[in-house]
Amino acid sequence: MASDRLSTIHQHLITRPSVLQSRDSCFQACAATASTGIQKTKAPVINAQPKVALYDEKIYIKLDNFPSNEKITLHAQYIQGRNKIIFASCGHYMSDEFGQVNVTQQPSIGGTYTGLEPMGILWSLQSAPGQPRYARILSKSTDRPMVIVLTSYHGHLQLEDIYQSKFKPESLADIVLERWFRFPSEVARVEVQAGNVRGALYLPHGDGPFQGVIDIYGSSGGIVEFRAALLASRGFAALALPFYNYGDLPSHLSNVTLDYFEEAAVWLSSHPKVFPHGIGVVAVSKGTEFAYCMSAYIQQVKCLAVANGYPYVSMYDLHHKGKCLLKASEFDISRCHMTQEGELIISPGMPYSDNLIPAWQGDAKHLIMASEDDYQVIVDSYKLLTESCPDAKKSNFEVVTYPGAGHLLEPPYSPLCRVAVNPGYQLLMLFGGQMKQHAHAQENSWQRILKHLKQNIPTM
């Protein structure tokens, strides 16, 4: 496996070790160096294992050969896209008597995150001072990694000290990290144009068959692929499925029908590398509504993992086979309101509806995740579904709530997107979320999603 990966990403200077091995070997090596008492004559260094990793893997970071009992700032920087937007984070640490900082065992006492948060340096990334305020980290390609540079400085510096000070601080040590949603040597990407279905299918290398998953995002439109790529990296055949504003698909949400999702489910279920006995669906936001409809009306769907969406159709009636299948909840724009900074809170404009999607009428297993600091959907609207569900089907529904989490639950260690422009509406939307609680929710929800899919997508 390591040799395959090196042949694909030949620029890497190291192979990708396993997390368990990397943590022990790194710490043992650092401890051995410290015990000799000679580390003070060496240059400061940042050790990070693994340096090349999948996006949902933890990194173990340790600083060595620094001055003893001194204030140290650990700084991360990521530069995104053609516009080269800079995202940054920082943590404040105290080196120990040996001149070491072990991020896994020592808390940050300041910066963009605090507490014992080994991955805080990643999930607290935000627009650096002087950069566009509402920029969002969004990986549009899975062919290359997210490259993050870790740097260390004397003292406890804020991001303003690093980016806007008259005198740029001097770096003590740095290291480059690569975060991949897939390793091309291990997961293939296949462009999909099958009948009316469009998208990107991610397949683990090998003959299969694999458990199939359809991955659906929200009202922003277009295609979002990174979660499907990461699902494939964890062993699933994952179809990133756009449904409007992509290629020759409809240009408006009102023209999206259930027929499209049915065709996609049939196509994926019949793929030669996918188990033919049923598939799963992962969805967020507007995609959750379509996922519930797939559960109710499409027999190939055997399990759902959905986050922060309504159990009824919103804004536009949903059609199937030329007929109106479900009437939409009437959207009242007058009930929405803006924050003082111009951020749209949309949830009050979508009143409760008793025209529920009967997701229980199939036999699919449902994992419902609800963020309690969400400003885009009515937080407890999922209760309409679970309380209306017949008693005989209630065991098919599991609900997990996340206090302090916002609308966009992403894979673990993703920075919080609290406010961003929704391309589908060209409006600045308040998605909500408190940074630390949201980060913990993402880590927990991802593990639940993987377990739920693995256990409930049939293989026989």
Side-chain angles (χ1 to χ4, degrees), residues 433-448:
Q434 305 302 314
M435 187 179 291
K436 183 179 292 191
Q437 294 97 316
H438 190 84
H440 294 172
Q442 289 187 148
E443 188 170 7
N444 180 272
S445 62
W446 183 246
Q447 294 307 315
R448 288 179 180 273

Side-chain angles (χ1 to χ4, degrees), residues 3 24 35 42 57 118 130 145-146 171 182 194 217-218 227 229 237 240 263 273 295 309 336 348 367-368 442:
S3 61
D24 291 340
S35 65
K42 297 182 179 180
E57 285 187 88
M146 180 178 181
S171 169
R182 66 169 178 130
Y217 266 78
R227 189 169 61 192
E263 185 177 349
K273 288 195 174 184
S295 172
C336 300
L367 172 63
I368 301 172
Q442 289 187 148

Side-chain angles (χ1 to χ4, degrees), residues 43-46 64 66 74 150-153 170-175:
V45 62
I46 303 175
D64 283 298
F66 285 74
L74 180 65
L150 298 185
T151 309
S152 56
Y153 304 105
E170 181 180 355
S171 169
L172 299 176
D174 55 51
I175 192 173

Side-chain angles (χ1 to χ4, degrees), residues 221-266:
I223 189 169
V224 180
E225 300 184 33
F226 62 84
R227 189 169 61 192
L230 193 55
L231 284 167
S233 296
R234 294 306 175 198
F236 300 95
L239 173 62
L241 185 69
F243 50 89
Y244 89 107
N245 261 354
Y246 179 77
D248 58 356
L249 293 179
S251 59
H252 195 272
L253 264 172
S254 61
N255 295 320
V256 178
T257 69
L258 186 61
D259 304 72
Y260 175 74
F261 297 97
E262 184 175 39
E263 185 177 349
V266 171

